[in-house]
């Protein structure tokens, strides 16, 4: 009987995946304060001033986390509602550039009316718009690259040492490789150990491993020699045949 081959990937940072994910994650800092003014021309200067203050507060907080100004982006939100109504919407002006009839942060009136129409199916054009709150969200991006290209090294993979590992057939000589010594054109035949600073990959007998350009280990499982069926008890075979017969009986 010959098992079908399938593949699995061992990512380069799989041993410290949570820590690596935290390093890639964005850091968000928000600042918000009440406003209680109308969104109209007379209020734009005051709105721009307060938005600038909140933006600077977010920038300062993110700089304390080690982010440079180039790594930080800020987005402004206004909590808007029609006058004499109690349904307020938190609105961003993304996609609505500023104009002569808006504050410098963007055309929040058009953004609010489009959002209100989408939510409720109507607008109240003649009704003044009230700003309940001003909120600024600062986002610091780490800039850590997620793709580390594996260099293309000439020659066969270098065996660091040979050790004894125990498998189903007993102790076998097992080649030990360092991941940093391998290239993406190298193929490793099991049994073998591929050791990285953060993890160890075991290539079992009958399996093969190769490196991708991004540094992940691609394992080809079940590509070894065929094995014969016999009368010995095998829990895997029992499970496979049980499922097959149950599907037939069903």
């Amino acid at each position: 009987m010959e098992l079908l081959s399938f593949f699995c990937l061992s990512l380069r940072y799989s041993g410290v995946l949570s820590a690596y994910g935290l390093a890639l994650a964005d850091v968000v800092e928000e600042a918000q304060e009440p406003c209680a003014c109308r969104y109209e021309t007379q209020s734009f200067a005051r709105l721009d001033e307060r938005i600038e203050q909140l933006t600077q507060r977010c920038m300062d907080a993110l700089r304390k986390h080690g982010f440079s100004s180039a790594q930080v982006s800020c987005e402004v939100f206004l909590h808007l509602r029609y006058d004499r109504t109690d349904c307020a919407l938190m609105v961003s002006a993304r996609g609505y550039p500023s104009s002569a009839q808006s504050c410098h942060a963007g055309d929040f009136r058009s953004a609010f009316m489009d959002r209100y129409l989408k939510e409720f199916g109507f607008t109240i054009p003649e009704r003044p718009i009230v700003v309940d709150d001003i909120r600024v969200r600062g986002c610091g991006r780490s800039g850590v690259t997620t793709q580390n290209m594996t260099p293309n090294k000439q020659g066969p993979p270098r065996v660091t040492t040979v050790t004894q590992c125990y498998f189903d057939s007993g102790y076998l000589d097992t080649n030990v490789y360092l991941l940093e010594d391998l290239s993406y054109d190298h193929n490793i035949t099991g049994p073998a150990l591929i050791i990285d600073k953060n993890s160890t990959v075991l290539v079992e007998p009958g399996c093969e491993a190769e490196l991708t350009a991004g540094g992940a280990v691609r394992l080809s499982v079940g590509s070894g020699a065929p094995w014969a069926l016999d009368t010995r008890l095998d829990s895997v075979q029992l499970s496979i045949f049980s499922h097959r017969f149950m599907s037939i009986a069903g």
Side-chain angles (χ1 to χ4, degrees):
M1 180 180 181
E2 184 175 1
L3 292 177
L4 296 176
S5 298
F6 65 94
F7 306 100
C8 64
L9 279 178
S10 175
L11 301 179
R12 181 158 196 154
Y13 298 105
S14 58
V16 289
L17 197 57
S18 297
Y20 185 58
L22 289 173
L24 294 177
D26 297 338
V27 177
V28 175
E29 187 74 27
E30 291 193 355
Q32 180 172 335
E33 63 180 27
C35 183
C37 70
R38 289 188 175 185
Y39 188 82
E40 55 190 8
T41 305
Q42 294 84 349
S43 304
F44 289 161
R46 178 57 178 161
L47 281 174
D48 289 332
E49 180 183 354
R50 298 177 69 178
I51 288 172
E52 180 62 28
Q53 293 173 355
L54 293 178
T55 300
Q56 191 61 44
R57 190 190 306 176
C58 292
M59 295 283 289
D60 293 341
L62 290 171
R63 287 194 190 100
K64 292 180 181 179
H65 289 288
F67 293 97
S68 65
S69 299
Q71 294 175 289
V72 177
S73 62
C74 292
E75 185 175 5
V76 180
F77 298 86
L78 295 183
H79 206 196
L80 303 176
R81 61 180 175 84
Y82 281 118
D83 192 21
R84 301 193 303 279
T85 65
D86 57 4
C87 181
L89 301 177
M90 189 66 74
V91 178
S92 167
R94 180 183 297 179
Y96 295 86
S98 61
S99 64
Q101 290 75 38
S102 71
C103 59
H104 293 324
D107 187 1
F108 284 93
R109 181 186 301 276
S110 298
F112 171 75
M113 295 184 69
D114 289 348
R115 173 86 179 277
Y116 201 93
L117 180 64
K118 183 178 179 181
E119 293 283 344
F120 303 105
F122 68 94
T123 58
I124 316 174
E126 69 282 359
R127 189 76 62 87
I129 297 175
V130 177
V131 183
D132 283 341
D133 302 278
I134 304 171
R135 179 163 67 100
V136 176
R137 176 191 294 165
C139 182
R141 292 175 171 80
S142 63
V144 177
T145 57
T146 59
Q147 186 81 356
N148 294 318
M149 302 304 293
T150 304
N152 188 2
K153 300 177 181 178
Q154 301 296 326
R158 186 171 71 88
V159 179
T160 302
T161 186
V162 178
T163 187
Q164 291 276 313
C165 290
Y166 187 83
F167 298 95
D168 290 340
S169 56
Y171 283 98
L172 298 176
D173 290 337
T174 304
N175 293 335
V176 179
Y177 303 88
L178 296 180
L179 185 64
E180 60 189 22
D181 294 337
L182 300 179
S183 171
Y184 65 83
D185 59 348
H186 286 157
N187 290 321
I188 307 298
T189 303
L193 288 171
I194 301 176
I195 298 178
D196 190 19
K197 297 177 182 178
N198 302 313
S199 60
T200 299
V201 178
L202 172 65
V203 186
E204 297 188 10
C207 301
E208 293 183 355
E210 59 179 329
L211 262 68
T212 65
V217 179
R218 183 174 184 264
L219 293 170
S220 302
V221 183
S223 58
W227 51 278
L229 292 174
D230 54 28
T231 58
R232 290 178 297 177
L233 179 63
D234 189 313
S235 58
V236 176
Q237 290 185 30
L238 284 175
S239 178
I240 292 174
F241 281 106
S242 174
H243 283 80
R244 287 186 174 180
F245 287 131
M246 287 300 293
S247 63
I248 294 173

